[in-house]
Amino acid sequence: LIRDYVQVEVIGNELPLLSTADPSDVEKQTRIYNFLRAPFQLEEFLKLGFLVCCDSFLFLFTLFPIRVLVALVRFLGSVAAPGRFVRDRGSLYDLMRGAIFCITLVVLWYVDLSVVYHYIRGQAIIKLYVIYNVLVIFDSLFSNVVFSDPNSAHWQAEATHSDVSEKSSA
């Protein structure tokens, strides 16, 4: 009797496998599995975000100035010879974006960013807001892990072990 109790406690055969589990247990197991899979998916998402940022950066400093110059030539050509050049919305849009880009560069040229950084860093309200949001995120993550059934992770391990055993015996 004691030997059986110790064997069950050490080996852990008392938990049912995934195929015999309740649907609610399967749902809990799926939540835990998704939680454990999230960091790997986050890494792929960050790679995609990096590529999108590189694309925007390269467009802004390579193709965008060429488009603004072409739009400027079209605009000046339509002013000089009204019937020869056509003024289209795309060219006007590129001229507006180019003007906004140039204005932004001029404004940022005269602003000391270290002063702005230290001004924002000194704001106590922003610090509290950030700390509060970080705590809310960690609270939701940890409560999701703690309040879900801890046996779901074990069932996943048992199901994986039984799948490996079935494949090796076949």
Side-chain angles (χ1 to χ4, degrees):
L1 183 66
I2 294 177
R3 192 185 95 203
D4 293 338
Y5 175 75
V6 170
Q7 181 181 6
V8 166
E9 287 298 318
V10 171
I11 297 174
N13 286 336
E14 80 280 357
L15 294 174
L17 294 176
L18 183 63
S19 60
T20 61
D22 269 353
S24 64
D25 294 336
V26 172
E27 179 183 339
K28 291 174 185 177
Q29 176 194 356
T30 305
R31 277 196 231 151
I32 289 178
Y33 180 68
N34 289 338
F35 175 76
L36 294 175
R37 217 174 55 183
F40 301 108
Q41 292 176 344
L42 178 65
E43 183 179 347
E44 294 297 319
F45 184 69
L46 290 176
K47 287 178 187 175
L48 175 68
F50 176 74
L51 291 176
V52 168
C53 288
C54 286
D55 180 50
S56 294
F57 180 79
L58 289 174
F59 171 77
L60 191 62
F61 290 107
T62 56
L63 296 176
F64 183 64
I66 296 170
R67 286 182 65 163
V68 171
L69 287 176
V70 168
L72 187 61
V73 167
R74 282 185 180 173
F75 181 74
L76 293 176
S78 68
V79 171
R84 189 166 176 204
F85 291 96
V86 178
R87 221 186 291 185
D88 60 339
R89 288 183 178 177
S91 296
L92 292 176
Y93 179 68
D94 286 337
L95 283 175
M96 284 191 322
R97 284 180 26 188
I100 291 170
F101 183 73
C102 290
I103 291 169
T104 304
L105 284 178
V106 169
V107 168
L108 288 177
W109 187 268
Y110 292 107
V111 172
D112 188 11
L113 293 179
S114 65
V115 172
V116 173
Y117 169 75
H118 287 292
Y119 176 74
I120 292 173
R121 189 172 173 220
Q123 298 292 322
I125 301 285
I126 294 175
K127 289 179 188 176
L128 289 175
Y129 180 73
V130 169
I131 290 171
Y132 174 75
N133 283 334
V134 167
L135 287 175
V136 166
I137 289 170
F138 278 118
D139 177 53
S140 63
L141 283 174
F142 289 138
S143 65
N144 204 6
V145 171
V146 170
F147 292 125
S148 64
D149 192 3
N151 294 331
S152 298
H154 182 73
W155 289 329
Q156 176 65 30
E158 285 290 326
T160 306
H161 179 69
S162 65
D163 290 343
V164 170
S165 299
E166 289 173 5
K167 289 180 183 176
S168 64
S169 64

